[in-house]
PDB file of all heavy atoms in Angstrom:
ATOM      1  N   ILE A1169      -3.449   0.413  -8.563  1.00  0.00           N
ATOM      2  CA  ILE A1169      -3.776  -0.717  -9.426  1.00  0.00           C
ATOM      3  C   ILE A1169      -3.618  -0.284 -10.883  1.00  0.00           C
ATOM      4  O   ILE A1169      -4.314   0.630 -11.336  1.00  0.00           O
ATOM      5  CB  ILE A1169      -5.226  -1.202  -9.184  1.00  0.00           C
ATOM      6  CG1 ILE A1169      -5.469  -1.465  -7.695  1.00  0.00           C
ATOM      7  CG2 ILE A1169      -5.536  -2.416 -10.041  1.00  0.00           C
ATOM      8  CD1 ILE A1169      -4.626  -2.552  -7.093  1.00  0.00           C
ATOM      9  N   PRO A1170      -2.713  -0.922 -11.635  1.00  0.00           N
ATOM     10  CA  PRO A1170      -2.535  -0.541 -13.043  1.00  0.00           C
ATOM     11  C   PRO A1170      -3.738  -0.948 -13.882  1.00  0.00           C
ATOM     12  O   PRO A1170      -4.343  -1.994 -13.660  1.00  0.00           O
ATOM     13  CB  PRO A1170      -1.282  -1.301 -13.474  1.00  0.00           C
ATOM     14  CG  PRO A1170      -1.118  -2.395 -12.483  1.00  0.00           C
ATOM     15  CD  PRO A1170      -1.811  -1.993 -11.224  1.00  0.00           C
ATOM     16  N   ASP A1171      -4.090  -0.100 -14.835  1.00  0.00           N
ATOM     17  CA  ASP A1171      -5.161  -0.398 -15.786  1.00  0.00           C
ATOM     18  C   ASP A1171      -4.609  -1.214 -16.935  1.00  0.00           C
ATOM     19  O   ASP A1171      -3.427  -1.105 -17.276  1.00  0.00           O
ATOM     20  CB  ASP A1171      -5.766   0.896 -16.339  1.00  0.00           C
ATOM     21  CG  ASP A1171      -6.503   1.701 -15.290  1.00  0.00           C
ATOM     22  OD1 ASP A1171      -7.020   1.100 -14.332  1.00  0.00           O
ATOM     23  OD2 ASP A1171      -6.562   2.933 -15.427  1.00  0.00           O
ATOM     24  N   ALA A1172      -5.462  -2.003 -17.554  1.00  0.00           N
ATOM     25  CA  ALA A1172      -5.056  -2.773 -18.726  1.00  0.00           C
ATOM     26  C   ALA A1172      -4.824  -1.844 -19.918  1.00  0.00           C
ATOM     27  O   ALA A1172      -3.968  -2.098 -20.758  1.00  0.00           O
ATOM     28  CB  ALA A1172      -6.110  -3.816 -19.059  1.00  0.00           C
ATOM     29  N   SER A1173      -5.606  -0.768 -19.990  1.00  0.00           N
ATOM     30  CA  SER A1173      -5.489   0.152 -21.109  1.00  0.00           C
ATOM     31  C   SER A1173      -6.051   1.502 -20.683  1.00  0.00           C
ATOM     32  O   SER A1173      -7.054   1.539 -19.968  1.00  0.00           O
ATOM     33  CB  SER A1173      -6.263  -0.405 -22.293  1.00  0.00           C
ATOM     34  OG  SER A1173      -6.275   0.490 -23.355  1.00  0.00           O
ATOM     35  N   PRO A1174      -5.521   2.617 -21.074  1.00  0.00           N
ATOM     36  CA  PRO A1174      -4.249   2.754 -21.771  1.00  0.00           C
ATOM     37  C   PRO A1174      -3.078   2.479 -20.832  1.00  0.00           C
ATOM     38  O   PRO A1174      -3.176   2.657 -19.618  1.00  0.00           O
ATOM     39  CB  PRO A1174      -4.252   4.197 -22.254  1.00  0.00           C
ATOM     40  CG  PRO A1174      -5.169   4.927 -21.341  1.00  0.00           C
ATOM     41  CD  PRO A1174      -6.171   3.917 -20.851  1.00  0.00           C
ATOM     42  N   ASP A1175      -1.991   2.088 -21.440  1.00  0.00           N
ATOM     43  CA  ASP A1175      -0.787   1.769 -20.694  1.00  0.00           C
ATOM     44  C   ASP A1175      -0.327   2.985 -19.891  1.00  0.00           C
ATOM     45  O   ASP A1175      -0.391   4.112 -20.364  1.00  0.00           O
ATOM     46  CB  ASP A1175       0.316   1.331 -21.677  1.00  0.00           C
ATOM     47  CG  ASP A1175       1.515   0.746 -20.961  1.00  0.00           C
ATOM     48  OD1 ASP A1175       1.322   0.067 -19.944  1.00  0.00           O
ATOM     49  OD2 ASP A1175       2.643   0.969 -21.425  1.00  0.00           O
ATOM     50  N   GLY A1176       0.105   2.739 -18.665  1.00  0.00           N
ATOM     51  CA  GLY A1176       0.615   3.828 -17.835  1.00  0.00           C
ATOM     52  C   GLY A1176      -0.444   4.533 -17.007  1.00  0.00           C
ATOM     53  O   GLY A1176      -0.163   5.543 -16.379  1.00  0.00           O
ATOM     54  N   THR A1177      -1.693   4.011 -17.013  1.00  0.00           N
ATOM     55  CA  THR A1177      -2.742   4.610 -16.188  1.00  0.00           C
ATOM     56  C   THR A1177      -3.075   3.680 -15.029  1.00  0.00           C
ATOM     57  O   THR A1177      -2.813   2.480 -15.081  1.00  0.00           O
ATOM     58  CB  THR A1177      -4.008   4.913 -17.011  1.00  0.00           C
ATOM     59  OG1 THR A1177      -4.523   3.695 -17.552  1.00  0.00           O
ATOM     60  CG2 THR A1177      -3.708   5.901 -18.135  1.00  0.00           C
ATOM     61  N   PHE A1178      -3.652   4.259 -13.983  1.00  0.00           N
ATOM     62  CA  PHE A1178      -3.883   3.538 -12.737  1.00  0.00           C
ATOM     63  C   PHE A1178      -5.211   3.941 -12.110  1.00  0.00           C
ATOM     64  O   PHE A1178      -5.754   4.991 -12.418  1.00  0.00           O
ATOM     65  CB  PHE A1178      -2.776   3.872 -11.726  1.00  0.00           C
ATOM     66  CG  PHE A1178      -1.407   3.500 -12.195  1.00  0.00           C
ATOM     67  CD1 PHE A1178      -0.678   4.357 -13.008  1.00  0.00           C
ATOM     68  CD2 PHE A1178      -0.849   2.290 -11.834  1.00  0.00           C
ATOM     69  CE1 PHE A1178       0.587   4.021 -13.442  1.00  0.00           C
ATOM     70  CE2 PHE A1178       0.418   1.940 -12.264  1.00  0.00           C
ATOM     71  CZ  PHE A1178       1.137   2.804 -13.075  1.00  0.00           C
ATOM     72  N   HIS A1179      -5.687   3.113 -11.189  1.00  0.00           N
ATOM     73  CA  HIS A1179      -6.776   3.444 -10.273  1.00  0.00           C
ATOM     74  C   HIS A1179      -6.161   3.510  -8.873  1.00  0.00           C
ATOM     75  O   HIS A1179      -5.308   2.686  -8.530  1.00  0.00           O
ATOM     76  CB  HIS A1179      -7.874   2.374 -10.278  1.00  0.00           C
ATOM     77  CG  HIS A1179      -8.854   2.508 -11.391  1.00  0.00           C
ATOM     78  ND1 HIS A1179      -8.546   2.240 -12.698  1.00  0.00           N
ATOM     79  CD2 HIS A1179     -10.149   2.877 -11.382  1.00  0.00           C
ATOM     80  CE1 HIS A1179      -9.610   2.436 -13.444  1.00  0.00           C
ATOM     81  NE2 HIS A1179     -10.609   2.820 -12.667  1.00  0.00           N
ATOM     82  N   LEU A1180      -6.601   4.461  -8.085  1.00  0.00           N
ATOM     83  CA  LEU A1180      -6.162   4.576  -6.712  1.00  0.00           C
ATOM     84  C   LEU A1180      -7.286   4.018  -5.836  1.00  0.00           C
ATOM     85  O   LEU A1180      -8.374   4.585  -5.761  1.00  0.00           O
ATOM     86  CB  LEU A1180      -5.896   6.047  -6.376  1.00  0.00           C
ATOM     87  CG  LEU A1180      -5.070   6.351  -5.149  1.00  0.00           C
ATOM     88  CD1 LEU A1180      -3.698   5.682  -5.210  1.00  0.00           C
ATOM     89  CD2 LEU A1180      -4.900   7.851  -4.991  1.00  0.00           C
ATOM     90  N   VAL A1181      -7.031   2.863  -5.212  1.00  0.00           N
ATOM     91  CA  VAL A1181      -8.044   2.140  -4.451  1.00  0.00           C
ATOM     92  C   VAL A1181      -7.755   2.290  -2.964  1.00  0.00           C
ATOM     93  O   VAL A1181      -6.642   2.004  -2.507  1.00  0.00           O
ATOM     94  CB  VAL A1181      -8.051   0.641  -4.832  1.00  0.00           C
ATOM     95  CG1 VAL A1181      -9.099  -0.117  -4.041  1.00  0.00           C
ATOM     96  CG2 VAL A1181      -8.263   0.465  -6.326  1.00  0.00           C
ATOM     97  N   HIS A1182      -8.757   2.735  -2.222  1.00  0.00           N
ATOM     98  CA  HIS A1182      -8.587   2.908  -0.787  1.00  0.00           C
ATOM     99  C   HIS A1182      -8.432   1.549  -0.122  1.00  0.00           C
ATOM    100  O   HIS A1182      -9.245   0.653  -0.307  1.00  0.00           O
ATOM    101  CB  HIS A1182      -9.784   3.664  -0.198  1.00  0.00           C
ATOM    102  CG  HIS A1182      -9.580   4.013   1.227  1.00  0.00           C
ATOM    103  ND1 HIS A1182     -10.203   3.360   2.244  1.00  0.00           N
ATOM    104  CD2 HIS A1182      -8.774   4.943   1.797  1.00  0.00           C
ATOM    105  CE1 HIS A1182      -9.806   3.872   3.392  1.00  0.00           C
ATOM    106  NE2 HIS A1182      -8.944   4.839   3.142  1.00  0.00           N
ATOM    107  N   ARG A1183      -7.374   1.372   0.626  1.00  0.00           N
ATOM    108  CA  ARG A1183      -7.037   0.089   1.234  1.00  0.00           C
ATOM    109  C   ARG A1183      -8.119  -0.429   2.172  1.00  0.00           C
ATOM    110  O   ARG A1183      -8.415  -1.607   2.214  1.00  0.00           O
ATOM    111  CB  ARG A1183      -5.718   0.215   2.005  1.00  0.00           C
ATOM    112  CG  ARG A1183      -5.306  -1.057   2.698  1.00  0.00           C
ATOM    113  CD  ARG A1183      -4.094  -0.774   3.605  1.00  0.00           C
ATOM    114  NE  ARG A1183      -4.013  -1.745   4.664  1.00  0.00           N
ATOM    115  CZ  ARG A1183      -4.630  -1.670   5.833  1.00  0.00           C
ATOM    116  NH1 ARG A1183      -5.402  -0.647   6.116  1.00  0.00           N
ATOM    117  NH2 ARG A1183      -4.491  -2.604   6.727  1.00  0.00           N
ATOM    118  N   TYR A1184      -8.732   0.438   2.919  1.00  0.00           N
ATOM    119  CA  TYR A1184      -9.670   0.023   3.957  1.00  0.00           C
ATOM    120  C   TYR A1184     -11.077  -0.238   3.418  1.00  0.00           C
ATOM    121  O   TYR A1184     -11.747  -1.154   3.860  1.00  0.00           O
ATOM    122  CB  TYR A1184      -9.695   1.091   5.043  1.00  0.00           C
ATOM    123  CG  TYR A1184     -10.207   0.617   6.376  1.00  0.00           C
ATOM    124  CD1 TYR A1184      -9.633  -0.463   7.034  1.00  0.00           C
ATOM    125  CD2 TYR A1184     -11.257   1.269   6.996  1.00  0.00           C
ATOM    126  CE1 TYR A1184     -10.091  -0.884   8.265  1.00  0.00           C
ATOM    127  CE2 TYR A1184     -11.719   0.862   8.229  1.00  0.00           C
ATOM    128  CZ  TYR A1184     -11.137  -0.221   8.853  1.00  0.00           C
ATOM    129  OH  TYR A1184     -11.597  -0.626  10.070  1.00  0.00           O
ATOM    130  N   SER A1185     -11.530   0.556   2.445  1.00  0.00           N
ATOM    131  CA  SER A1185     -12.901   0.408   1.929  1.00  0.00           C
ATOM    132  C   SER A1185     -12.971  -0.378   0.633  1.00  0.00           C
ATOM    133  O   SER A1185     -14.025  -0.899   0.287  1.00  0.00           O
ATOM    134  CB  SER A1185     -13.538   1.783   1.706  1.00  0.00           C
ATOM    135  OG  SER A1185     -12.917   2.446   0.609  1.00  0.00           O
ATOM    136  N   GLY A1186     -11.868  -0.422  -0.135  1.00  0.00           N
ATOM    137  CA  GLY A1186     -11.894  -1.070  -1.443  1.00  0.00           C
ATOM    138  C   GLY A1186     -12.502  -0.201  -2.525  1.00  0.00           C
ATOM    139  O   GLY A1186     -12.674  -0.639  -3.657  1.00  0.00           O
TER     140      GLY A1186
END
Side-chain angles (χ1 to χ4, degrees):
I1169 308 297
D1171 293 332
S1173 175
D1175 190 36
T1177 61
F1178 300 84
H1179 278 71
L1180 197 57
V1181 180
H1182 187 255
R1183 179 188 156 273
Y1184 201 56
S1185 70

